[in-house]
Amino acid sequence: MGLSFLRNWKQAPSVNTSLTALVIACILPVSAVAAALILSFYHKERAQLISNTIGRARAAITAVDHDFGTATTALGALGTSRMLLSGDLQGFHSRATTVLASMHADSILVLDASGKMLMTTRLPYGQPLPTLSSTPLLRRILASGKPGVSDLFMGPLNRQLIYTVGVPVWRDGRIVMTLNATATSAQLAHVLVEQQLPPTWRASVLDASGRVVTRSHEIEKYVGQRLSDAQLRLAAVATEGGFDSTTLDGIDVFVVFSRSPLSGWTVFLGIPRDELTAGLRANTAWLAVATLAALAAGLTLAALVGRRITRSVQALIPPAQAIGNGDAPAIPPLHFKEANELGQALRNAGASVREARAASQESEQRLLLAADAAHLGIWIRDLTRQQIWLSEQWRSLFGFSAGQPVALADLLARVHADDRAAVQRTLDNAELGVPRYEMEYRITRPDGALRWIGSHGSVETGADGRPALVRGVSLDITARKLAELDAQQKQKEVTHLGRLAVLGELSGALAHELNQPLTAILSNAQAARRFLERQPPDLAEIDEILRDIVDEDRRAGEVIQRLRRLFDKGGTPRTLVDLNQLTRDVIRLLRNDLINHGIAVHTELSATPVIASADAVQLQQVLINLLMNACDAMAGAAPDNAVIVVRCATIGAEGEAVQLSVVDRGAGIPAADLSHIFDPFYTTKERGMGLGLSICRNIVAAHDGQLWAENNPDVGASVHLRLPQAKAHPA
Ligand code: ADP
């Protein structure tokens, strides 16, 4: 977990990166929305413009129609002239010339139904006139009887491109002639001028065949030219509409058109596409500039703010390090309120750390003083750095001078050769993580003095869960140890003497008590022999003697019974004994022996007192015996197996009994001998007496208890002692 945290920490983005991302994340979506709005606005505006433009095209074509209408009306009025009806063509010529001046036309002419020109204002009256073939307009007027307008054609007299508006002249319900007004494209130009179109737009008026009649730009150059078939096809689908195209003078435009249903003529308006998209382009450019400006401003601000934050945070690193070193942190004024608050918190933390350090130094000092006063040597072993710190008291205890470097090997060299392996093992175990230990061992000081040392140690684990530090205290326990050994020696002697005394007493008593009946039996038997040698033998006397022998023998048996009873009873007054405590006392008593044998004793005591009514000294003797037997059985066992477990427990649902078990991991007992080992004088040991277990069983039996042995399922044997439970506080 720690490692992954470190990895994440290293991958975390910097303040600047985060702020840059924030600025971009804020500005780009806004720009995108603005772009979408601009585009949609452009489309709306364009649609609006197109629809407006169609309106203007319609107005233009209406103006053209109006021009034709005006000409038609004027011709219609002229057609009713009596001079024309009466055939006064000369008078009509001058009349028409007068009317022509007020019209957008360059000549008025009269054609008969066959197309023959009867008069034209273009020539003075009386001059010979050309004969025209039947024109499409004439045919249309004759067919429909309605006025009409021609397409552009080459005027036969003036050799110019012109068009004609014609009306029928009726006589007696028949069309006898047509009255026509011709006009050049220049005469229609006023229509486009009056529309007041933007100067960049291209506007054209086309006749029904798609030829340019007039144009807003360069009329002379393009008049009479036909639009392309493709353009005409696009315009043919409806009377109004628009499409993208190119003008005759090569400008990319959006073309809008409106066609007159009366004349079939069309007005085309071309809006340069540049102009159409100019707004969009301008807006887009503005947007791009605004976005870039916002980004630049935002990023600059982000960089400024980021640098300030970074500086504020980094400025707090040295103070934090100073706190770690126990110094007062110097905190500069920072740019942000929060950073200043953090700085204040660091300042407070620094003060707390310094106070805590001072307090801990003082308590350390006090501890050292107390330890010195108690002659306790303190030592700390740093397992990671392989360093050892030792208090002065410890050094003087082990005979190392102040400041002299001490390695583990130096310490071990001071330890008595017999104890060195055990000490080494304990230190190794601590390094492997056994949380605490307690050991007693001997050292030889440089002056040759042998001292007993008691050491207590506890292991501290580091962040990785492995042992990092061992702390401990060592104390000179020579005086206690010597007293203990002395007491132990004495105890041993007493025990031994006790055993010998019991034996001596037993054999003395036996000899004494049995001597008498045996002597009587002997003398009776000798007497019986004498009576048997007589002739004849005195059988009555012999019978008497044999009866006496039987009596004496019975008496001998009684003596033995009595002695056993005596032995059974014998003992000191009973007290309430806690087997837990008894176990602890005995193990303490035997500790040295056990250490010397390289044997560890584990206790599994009961949490509650395990009470029996017993002779404590006798029970101690029993437990000592069992432990010594277990030690003997494990002689030569591997160190891993050199463990005895002593277990104390209350037995039975009601707690009727208490039980003490000594479990070893020794050689075990041959199955056939499980019951014999309690027999007196049964021993398998070279120097054994074979009396220990026998005496133990007697003691236990005298306490109304049982003592038995069994082999463990895996290895070694267990000897169990069971006694009736006594209540701790009898009612
Ligand atoms: P001794 O002191 O001579 O050994 P004991 O009465 O104490 O006499 O023991 C009798 C014998 O019982 C021992 O010699 C040994 O063979 C056997 N014995 C006792 N305790 C154990 C044990 N824990 N494991 C194996 N054998 C044992």
Side-chain angles (χ1 to χ4, degrees), residues 78-101:
L78 205 58
T80 57
S81 145
R82 273 204 287 126
M83 277 178 273
L84 184 63
L85 294 176
S86 64
D88 177 9
L89 286 176
Q90 188 175 8
F92 185 72
H93 184 275
S94 70
R95 177 75 194 275
T97 307
T98 319
V99 171
L100 181 65

Side-chain angles (χ1 to χ4, degrees), residues 302-344:
L304 276 174
V305 173
R307 197 161 58 223
R308 285 182 161 206
I309 294 178
T310 310
R311 272 197 202 146
S312 291
V313 172
Q314 280 168 345
L316 290 174
I317 295 173
Q321 281 163 343
I323 290 174
N325 296 335
D327 299 333
I331 292 166
L334 302 166
H335 294 294
F336 296 95
K337 182 167 148 259
E338 290 80 358
N340 281 321
E341 282 168 3
L342 181 58
Q344 187 55 45

